[in-house]
Amino acid sequence: MARLIAVSIDCRNNEIRQTFVEMISRRQHYLIAKGQGTGAVDMLLLELDEYRPQHTFDRVRQLLGTAPDLEIFLTASRMDPQLLLEAFRVGVKEFLPQPLTRQDVEPALERFETRFAGKVSGLELRAGKVIAVIGVRGGVGASTVATNLAVSVQQARRHEPVALVDLDIHGGDLGLFLDVPVSQGLTHLTKDISRLDETILRSTLVQHPSGLQFLASGCDAYDDFMFEPGSMMRVTSLLRSIHRHVFIDCGHVLNPSVKEVLDGADQVILVTTLSLPVIRRTKRLLEILSAAHYPTTKIALVVNRYEKDQKDLVAEIEGLLGMHMAGLIPNDYESASEAINHGKPLTVMASKTSIAQWYQGGVGQLIGEQAKDASASSKEEGKGLSFLGRCFSSIGVEARRKSSVVGR
Ligand SMILES: Nc1ncnc2c1ncn2[C@@H]1O[C@H](COP(=O)(O)OP(=O)(O)O)[C@@H](O)[C@H]1O
Ligand SMILES: [Mg+2]
């Protein structure tokens, strides 16, 4: 299931509520709304007002008028056939007699899940692309890459909606990178995730002069904060339903929210540099992603701070990692830092520099780029191991030229 199913329960009878919660909790992918609100929920369990059934039916009509995709399950202790017919006519999808039993509830949930999967896959066909950017280590430039890629895509495709999300709960600097005022962010959206809808999301996004929509983390760098499980999955799917491209700065820690984003992303950009400790971590991260069965085509490895004379080093590292670099971003500390300190993207701050030109030119290729097996082109084939190769052997990492590390 690509996203969680949000359920709201509106029952006076507490026992019914508890039984339903218990049955739903045995299944995967459900999220129960805290209150009785219908916000952006996918399913509502509604108890019939047996003294005033028309009252309940009016409510069903009104709910479905504003949220046609909502599915309403009606529950009552008695139901005469005429009323049942009327309930289905106003749009109720399932009727659950009280007391609730597994024999009634489980088949109804299964039917619901089939209908829901069909709806979601239809939506996904029209959905935008999610590109997660993760730094192999702090300081490699993940935030610079995520910000400048997002701005460059927005500048190149003015009429397409593009979003940038700051999911670095220990960093959260992107508001400064873009010099946009930020008051709320992910922490606000995820307070009661079942209530999240497009209106709340749009009111939390901040627009950058380029047109890019920015969503801050809302975290303080020193907070011990964690998002509720499933929250990022829901935020991401809502974002992709209204944006063509969604870039997410995942920082450099593989916490559960970051894993959720990586799992659901169309592409994962790993930002690395050419120093030994960073390459060692890159190797390890690739192994983790491989163990999680990420296809090689989903991962793009990008070297930041690349110097022209490092061609051979790149070829050697490609051989060691069993992966081609999808991009080599020139080293230009002065421009990169100046851009951050002025809160401007590189393409605005230093448009003539090679680093800005890389972002302008390389971006389309990168976000459509597929990681390839480096075995065919490794220049090191047949040569003895260099210093770097020996270092890798000594830390238990072998050069692998015949097969790709990721996706094995
Ligand atoms: N291509 C580059 N060349 C030189 N310095 C860079 C480059 N990209 C980023 N930097 C610098 O690296 C530092 C860390 O960048 P940042 O994007 O905050 O990293 P991270 O998000 O991975 O911690 C910043 O000072 C930034 O200016
Ligand atoms: Mg960062």
Side-chain angles (χ1 to χ4, degrees):
M1 193 80 55
R3 72 169 180 86
L4 296 182
I5 301 165
V7 179
S8 181
I9 302 173
D10 188 350
C11 290
R12 273 161 290 120
N13 184 333
N14 213 27
E15 210 175 300
I16 296 294
R17 160 181 277 276
Q18 273 173 5
T19 314
F20 195 63
V21 168
E22 201 184 295
M23 288 183 190
I24 275 196
S25 312
R26 285 204 207 106
R27 306 178 83 86
Q28 281 185 321
H29 307 301
Y30 284 88
L31 188 80
I32 296 167
K34 283 181 193 145
Q36 292 186 347
T38 48
V41 298
D42 303 298
M43 183 217 290
L44 168 70
L45 177 70
L46 182 64
E47 190 170 21
L48 180 77
D49 182 340
E50 292 181 18
Y51 298 103
R52 294 176 301 170
Q54 291 307 327
H55 215 265
T56 308
F57 296 155
D58 285 346
R59 179 139 185 253
V60 171
R61 273 194 211 94
Q62 183 242 325
L63 285 169
L64 295 177
T66 50
D69 283 335
L70 174 70
E71 286 217 7
I72 299 179
F73 282 34
L74 193 67
T75 178
S77 57
R78 287 178 290 116
M79 195 72 175
D80 83 56
Q82 198 53 40
L83 277 184
L84 192 59
L85 198 63
E86 198 171 344
F88 287 126
R89 277 201 189 121
V90 295
V92 165
K93 274 285 181 330
E94 300 281 349
F95 173 70
L96 301 175
Q98 295 175 6
L100 299 187
T101 62
R102 288 180 70 175
Q103 284 89 327
D104 288 325
V105 175
E106 293 201 341
L109 290 177
E110 273 157 29
R111 287 191 293 274
F112 165 78
E113 284 166 19
T114 310
R115 292 190 296 268
F116 184 77
K119 251 187 266 173
V120 168
S121 61
L123 288 174
E124 273 173 2
L125 283 178
R126 283 175 273 136
K129 192 169 179 183
V130 174
I131 299 132
V133 180
I134 182 161
V136 167
R137 197 175 76 171
V140 292
S143 297
T144 305
V145 171
T147 308
N148 286 284
L149 282 182
V151 173
S152 301
V153 169
Q154 184 67 82
Q155 286 169 332
R157 301 161 200 214
R158 291 232 167 257
H159 302 294
E160 289 184 5
V162 180
L164 171 68
V165 182
D166 192 347
L167 180 57
D168 186 349
I169 52 177
H170 304 293
D173 301 325
L174 296 198
L176 292 175
F177 279 52
L178 291 170
D179 191 21
V180 285
V182 172
S183 56
Q184 284 174 328
L186 284 168
T187 45
H188 167 68
L189 295 184
T190 55
K191 258 186 208 138
D192 180 358
I193 195 68
S194 59
R195 284 171 186 265
L196 176 64
D197 62 12
E198 196 182 319
T199 313
I200 301 175
L201 175 66
R202 285 196 191 274
S203 69
T204 314
L205 291 165
V206 181
Q207 185 159 327
H208 179 255
S210 63
L212 180 74
Q213 298 292 328
F214 173 60
L215 180 56
S217 75
C219 301
D220 182 281
Y222 297 103
D223 272 353
D224 201 8
F225 185 83
M226 265 298 138
F227 295 103
E228 290 277 322
S231 307
M232 281 315 296
M233 205 199 261
R234 189 149 170 85
V235 172
T236 311
S237 65
L238 198 53
L239 277 165
R240 81 182 329 158
S241 71
I242 53 173
H243 294 92
R244 205 65 218 111
H245 291 94
V246 179
F247 290 85
I248 305 184
D249 178 2
C250 294
H252 61 277
V253 178
L254 267 186
N255 61 44
S257 303
V258 167
K259 284 185 192 161
E260 247 171 56
V261 165
L262 298 187
D263 284 348
D266 299 282
Q267 180 143 47
V268 177
I269 296 178
L270 256 57
V271 183
T272 189
T273 57
L274 295 176
S275 80
L276 182 59
V278 177
I279 293 301
R280 186 175 68 151
R281 289 180 70 114
T282 308
K283 176 87 182 168
R284 185 70 198 108
L285 185 53
L286 287 173
E287 282 167 356
I288 290 169
L289 299 183
S290 167
H293 303 290
Y294 280 35
T296 39
T297 49
K298 182 165 163 171
I299 299 163
L301 193 54
V302 170
V303 173
N304 196 26
R305 311 191 71 156
Y306 169 76
E307 299 278 6
K308 278 196 188 109
D309 60 4
Q310 290 179 316
K311 259 191 192 141
D312 290 346
L313 185 60
V314 167
E316 187 176 352
I317 290 171
E318 285 181 336
L320 289 163
L321 298 177
M323 226 185 157
H324 268 299
M325 301 300 179
L328 303 171
I329 308 175
N331 183 33
D332 183 349
Y333 183 75
E334 206 184 314
S335 302
S337 302
E338 214 186 336
I340 295 173
N341 292 339
H342 285 81
K344 295 222 174 336
L346 277 155
T347 45
V348 172
M349 189 72 207
S351 60
K352 300 246 158 21
T353 57
S354 58
I355 180 171
Q357 279 161 12
W358 183 89
Y359 280 105
Q360 277 156 351
V363 77
Q365 193 198 355
L366 179 64
I367 59 174
E369 167 83 60
Q370 299 186 346
K372 300 168 208 139
D373 189 331
S375 58
S377 71
S378 173
K379 287 185 182 172
E380 292 303 300
E381 193 107 49
K383 287 189 190 169
L385 286 181
S386 66
F387 166 70
L388 204 71
R390 288 197 306 277
C391 290
F392 270 94
S393 310
S394 71
I395 55 176
V397 177
E398 282 173 37
R400 224 181 272 275
R401 301 195 182 95
K402 289 280 182 298
S403 65
S404 175
V405 174
V406 182
R408 272 183 305 134

